[in-house]
Coordinates of all heavy atoms in Angstrom, one line a residue:
F148 N 1.7 21.4 23.6 CA 0.3 21.2 23.9 C -0.4 22.6 23.8 O -0.5 23.3 24.8 CB 0.1 20.5 25.3 CG 0.6 19.1 25.3 CD1 1.7 18.8 25.9 CD2 -0.1 18.1 24.6 CE1 2.2 17.5 25.9 CE2 0.3 16.8 24.6 CZ 1.5 16.5 25.2
T149 N -0.9 22.9 22.7 CA -1.5 24.2 22.4 C -3.0 23.8 22.0 O -3.3 22.9 21.3 CB -0.9 24.9 21.2 OG1 0.5 25.0 21.5 CG2 -1.5 26.3 21.0
S150 N -3.9 24.6 22.5 CA -5.3 24.4 22.3 C -5.6 24.4 20.8 O -5.0 25.2 20.1 CB -6.2 25.3 23.0 OG -6.0 26.6 22.5
G151 N -6.5 23.5 20.3 CA -6.8 23.5 18.9 C -6.0 22.5 18.1 O -6.3 22.2 16.9
L152 N -4.9 21.9 18.7 CA -4.0 21.0 18.0 C -4.5 19.5 18.2 O -5.0 19.2 19.3 CB -2.6 21.1 18.4 CG -1.8 22.3 18.1 CD1 -0.4 22.1 18.6 CD2 -1.7 22.4 16.6
Y153 N -4.4 18.7 17.2 CA -4.6 17.2 17.3 C -3.4 16.6 17.9 O -2.2 16.8 17.5 CB -4.9 16.6 15.9 CG -6.2 17.1 15.3 CD1 -6.3 18.0 14.3 CD2 -7.4 16.6 15.8 CE1 -7.4 18.4 13.8 CE2 -8.6 17.0 15.3 CZ -8.6 17.9 14.3 OH -9.8 18.3 13.8
V154 N -3.6 15.8 18.9 CA -2.5 15.2 19.7 C -2.5 13.7 19.7 O -1.6 13.1 20.3 CB -2.4 15.8 21.1 CG1 -2.0 17.2 21.1 CG2 -3.6 15.5 21.9
G155 N -3.5 13.1 19.1 CA -3.6 11.7 19.1 C -4.7 11.1 18.3 O -5.5 11.8 17.7
V156 N -4.7 9.8 18.1 CA -5.7 9.1 17.3 C -6.1 7.8 18.1 O -5.2 7.2 18.7 CB -5.1 8.7 16.0 CG1 -6.2 7.8 15.2 CG2 -4.8 9.9 15.1
V157 N -7.4 7.6 18.2 CA -7.9 6.4 18.8 C -8.5 5.6 17.6 O -9.3 6.1 16.9 CB -9.0 6.6 19.9 CG1 -9.5 5.4 20.4 CG2 -8.3 7.5 21.0
G158 N -8.1 4.3 17.5 CA -8.7 3.6 16.4 C -8.3 2.1 16.3 O -7.4 1.7 17.1
D159 N -8.8 1.4 15.4 CA -8.5 0.0 15.2 C -7.6 -0.1 13.9 O -8.1 0.2 12.8 CB -9.9 -0.7 14.9 CG -9.7 -2.2 14.7 OD1 -8.5 -2.7 14.6 OD2 -10.7 -2.9 14.7
L160 N -6.3 -0.3 14.2 CA -5.4 -0.4 13.1 C -5.6 -1.5 12.1 O -5.0 -1.4 11.0 CB -3.9 -0.4 13.7 CG -3.5 0.8 14.4 CD1 -2.1 0.6 15.0 CD2 -3.6 2.0 13.5
S161 N -6.5 -2.4 12.4 CA -6.8 -3.4 11.3 C -7.5 -2.8 10.2 O -7.6 -3.4 9.1 CB -7.6 -4.6 11.9 OG -8.9 -4.1 12.3
Y162 N -8.1 -1.6 10.4 CA -8.8 -0.9 9.3 C -7.9 0.2 8.6 O -8.4 1.1 8.0 CB -10.0 -0.2 9.8 CG -11.1 -1.2 10.2 CD1 -11.4 -1.6 11.5 CD2 -11.8 -1.9 9.1 CE1 -12.3 -2.5 11.8 CE2 -12.8 -2.8 9.4 CZ -13.0 -3.1 10.8 OH -14.0 -4.1 11.1
Y163 N -6.6 0.1 8.9 CA -5.6 1.0 8.2 C -4.7 0.1 7.3 O -4.0 -0.8 7.8 CB -4.7 1.7 9.2 CG -3.9 2.8 8.6 CD1 -4.4 4.1 8.5 CD2 -2.6 2.5 8.1 CE1 -3.6 5.1 7.9 CE2 -1.8 3.5 7.6 CZ -2.3 4.8 7.4 OH -1.6 5.8 6.9
W164 N -4.8 0.2 6.0 CA -4.1 -0.6 5.1 C -2.8 0.1 4.6 O -2.9 1.3 4.3 CB -5.0 -1.0 3.9 CG -6.0 -2.0 4.2 CD1 -6.3 -2.6 5.5 CD2 -6.9 -2.6 3.3 NE1 -7.3 -3.5 5.4 CE2 -7.7 -3.5 4.1 CE3 -7.1 -2.5 2.0 CZ2 -8.7 -4.3 3.5 CZ3 -8.1 -3.3 1.4 CH2 -8.9 -4.1 2.2
V165 N -1.7 -0.6 4.5 CA -0.5 -0.2 3.9 C -0.3 -1.0 2.6 O -0.3 -2.2 2.7 CB 0.7 -0.3 4.9 CG1 2.0 0.1 4.2 CG2 0.4 0.5 6.1
C166 N -0.1 -0.4 1.5 CA 0.1 -1.0 0.2 C 1.4 -0.6 -0.4 O 1.8 0.6 -0.3 CB -1.1 -0.7 -0.7 SG -2.7 -1.2 0.0
T167 N 2.0 -1.5 -1.2 CA 3.1 -1.1 -2.0 C 2.7 -1.1 -3.5 O 1.9 -2.0 -3.9 CB 4.3 -2.2 -1.9 OG1 3.8 -3.5 -2.2 CG2 4.8 -2.2 -0.5
A168 N 3.1 -0.1 -4.2 CA 2.6 0.2 -5.6 C 3.6 -0.6 -6.6 O 3.1 -1.1 -7.6 CB 2.6 1.6 -5.9
L169 N 4.8 -0.6 -6.3 CA 5.8 -1.2 -7.2 C 6.7 -2.1 -6.4 O 6.9 -1.9 -5.2 CB 6.7 -0.1 -7.8 CG 5.9 1.0 -8.7 CD1 6.9 2.1 -9.1 CD2 5.4 0.3 -10.0
P170 N 7.3 -3.0 -7.1 CA 8.3 -3.9 -6.3 C 9.5 -3.1 -5.9 O 9.8 -2.1 -6.4 CB 8.7 -4.9 -7.4 CG 8.3 -4.4 -8.7 CD 7.2 -3.4 -8.5
T171 N 10.1 -3.6 -4.8 CA 11.3 -2.9 -4.2 C 12.4 -3.1 -5.2 O 12.7 -4.2 -5.7 CB 11.7 -3.5 -2.9 OG1 10.5 -3.4 -2.0 CG2 12.8 -2.9 -2.3
E172 N 13.2 -2.0 -5.5 CA 14.3 -2.1 -6.4 C 15.6 -1.7 -5.6 O 15.6 -0.8 -4.8 CB 14.2 -1.1 -7.5 CG 13.0 -1.3 -8.4 CD 12.8 -0.2 -9.4 OE1 13.6 0.7 -9.4 OE2 11.9 -0.3 -10.3
V173 N 16.7 -2.4 -5.9 CA 18.0 -2.1 -5.3 C 19.0 -2.0 -6.4 O 19.1 -2.9 -7.2 CB 18.4 -3.2 -4.3 CG1 19.8 -2.9 -3.7 CG2 17.4 -3.3 -3.1
Q174 N 19.7 -0.9 -6.4 CA 20.7 -0.6 -7.5 C 22.0 -0.7 -6.8 O 22.3 -0.1 -5.7 CB 20.5 0.8 -8.1 CG 21.5 1.1 -9.2 CD 21.2 2.5 -9.8 OE1 20.3 3.2 -9.3 NE2 22.0 2.8 -10.7
I175 N 22.9 -1.5 -7.4 CA 24.3 -1.7 -6.8 C 25.2 -0.7 -7.6 O 25.3 -0.8 -8.8 CB 24.7 -3.1 -6.9 CG1 23.7 -4.0 -6.2 CG2 26.1 -3.3 -6.4 CD1 24.0 -5.5 -6.4
L176 N 26.0 0.1 -6.8 CA 26.9 1.0 -7.4 C 28.3 0.5 -7.2 O 29.1 0.9 -6.3 CB 26.7 2.4 -6.8 CG 25.3 3.0 -6.7 CD1 25.3 4.2 -5.9 CD2 24.8 3.2 -8.2
N177 N 28.8 -0.4 -8.1 CA 30.1 -1.0 -8.0 C 31.2 0.0 -8.2 O 32.2 0.1 -7.5 CB 30.3 -2.2 -8.9 CG 29.5 -3.4 -8.5 OD1 29.4 -3.6 -7.3 ND2 28.9 -4.0 -9.5
E178 N 31.1 0.8 -9.3 CA 32.2 1.6 -9.8 C 32.3 2.9 -9.0 O 33.4 3.4 -8.8 CB 31.9 2.0 -11.3 CG 32.0 0.9 -12.2 CD 30.7 0.1 -12.3 OE1 29.7 0.6 -11.9 OE2 30.8 -1.1 -12.8
L179 N 31.3 3.4 -8.4 CA 31.3 4.7 -7.7 C 32.3 4.7 -6.5 O 33.0 5.7 -6.3 CB 29.9 5.1 -7.2 CG 29.7 6.4 -6.6 CD1 30.1 7.6 -7.6 CD2 28.3 6.7 -6.1
Y180 N 32.3 3.6 -5.8 CA 33.2 3.5 -4.6 C 34.3 2.5 -4.8 O 34.9 2.0 -3.8 CB 32.4 3.1 -3.4 CG 31.2 4.1 -3.1 CD1 29.9 3.8 -3.4 CD2 31.5 5.3 -2.5 CE1 28.9 4.7 -3.2 CE2 30.5 6.2 -2.3 CZ 29.2 5.9 -2.6 OH 28.2 6.8 -2.3
A181 N 34.7 2.2 -6.0 CA 35.8 1.3 -6.3 C 37.1 1.7 -5.7 O 37.9 0.8 -5.3 CB 35.9 1.1 -7.8
T182 N 37.4 2.9 -5.7 CA 38.7 3.4 -5.1 C 38.8 3.2 -3.6 O 39.9 3.1 -3.0 CB 39.0 4.8 -5.5 OG1 37.9 5.6 -4.9 CG2 39.1 5.0 -7.0
E183 N 37.6 3.1 -3.0 CA 37.6 2.9 -1.5 C 37.3 1.4 -1.2 O 37.1 1.1 0.0 CB 36.5 3.8 -0.9 CG 36.7 5.2 -1.2 CD 35.5 6.1 -0.9 OE1 34.5 5.5 -0.4 OE2 35.5 7.2 -1.3
N184 N 37.3 0.5 -2.2 CA 37.0 -0.9 -2.0 C 35.7 -1.1 -1.2 O 35.6 -1.8 -0.3 CB 38.1 -1.6 -1.2 CG 38.1 -3.1 -1.4 OD1 37.5 -3.6 -2.3 ND2 38.6 -3.8 -0.4
A185 N 34.7 -0.4 -1.7 CA 33.3 -0.4 -1.1 C 32.3 -0.5 -2.2 O 32.5 -0.3 -3.4 CB 33.1 0.8 -0.2
I186 N 31.0 -0.9 -1.8 CA 29.9 -0.9 -2.7 C 28.8 0.0 -2.2 O 28.5 0.0 -1.0 CB 29.4 -2.4 -2.8 CG1 30.5 -3.3 -3.4 CG2 28.1 -2.4 -3.7 CD1 30.1 -4.8 -3.4
G187 N 28.2 0.8 -3.1 CA 27.1 1.6 -2.7 C 25.8 0.9 -3.1 O 25.7 0.2 -4.1
L188 N 24.8 1.2 -2.3 CA 23.4 0.6 -2.6 C 22.4 1.8 -2.6 O 22.5 2.6 -1.7 CB 23.0 -0.4 -1.6 CG 23.9 -1.6 -1.5 CD1 23.5 -2.5 -0.3 CD2 23.9 -2.5 -2.8
I189 N 21.5 1.8 -3.6 CA 20.4 2.7 -3.6 C 19.1 1.8 -3.6 O 18.9 1.0 -4.5 CB 20.4 3.6 -4.8 CG1 21.6 4.5 -4.8 CG2 19.1 4.5 -4.8 CD1 21.7 5.4 -6.0
G190 N 18.2 2.0 -2.6 CA 17.0 1.3 -2.6 C 15.8 2.2 -2.9 O 15.8 3.4 -2.5
R191 N 14.8 1.7 -3.6 CA 13.6 2.4 -4.0 C 12.4 1.5 -3.7 O 12.3 0.4 -4.0 CB 13.6 2.8 -5.5 CG 14.7 3.8 -5.8 CD 14.6 4.1 -7.3 NE 15.6 5.1 -7.7 CZ 16.8 4.7 -8.1 NH1 17.1 3.5 -8.3 NH2 17.7 5.7 -8.4
M192 N 11.4 2.2 -3.1 CA 10.1 1.5 -2.8 C 9.0 2.5 -2.7 O 9.2 3.6 -2.1 CB 10.2 0.7 -1.4 CG 9.1 -0.1 -1.1 SD 9.5 -1.0 0.5 CE 8.1 -2.1 0.5
E193 N 7.9 2.2 -3.3 CA 6.7 3.1 -3.3 C 5.7 2.5 -2.4 O 5.1 1.5 -2.7 CB 6.2 3.4 -4.7 CG 5.2 4.5 -4.8 CD 4.9 4.8 -6.2 OE1 5.8 4.8 -7.1 OE2 3.7 5.0 -6.5

């Protein structure tokens, strides 16, 4: 708590919009972890 810093927001969150630009993508990495009998996943979302 230092003077001059913003420490909060008062507002109506119905006026704050969250949007996705692209569809969610999930890439399955079967071969990368095959020796460990595991599957890797990479997720991407904008």
Side-chain angles (χ1 to χ4, degrees):
F148 295 104
T149 307
S150 64
L152 288 181
Y153 291 104
V154 294
V156 174
V157 177
D159 184 351
L160 291 178
S161 66
Y162 291 103
Y163 190 89
W164 286 4
V165 177
C166 302
T167 56
L169 299 171
T171 302
E172 299 174 356
V173 177
Q174 182 180 2
I175 301 172
L176 307 173
N177 290 323
E178 294 81 15
L179 186 60
Y180 301 104
T182 58
E183 300 165 10
N184 197 24
I186 297 173
L188 300 172
I189 296 176
R191 293 181 181 92
M192 184 176 189
E193 192 171 319

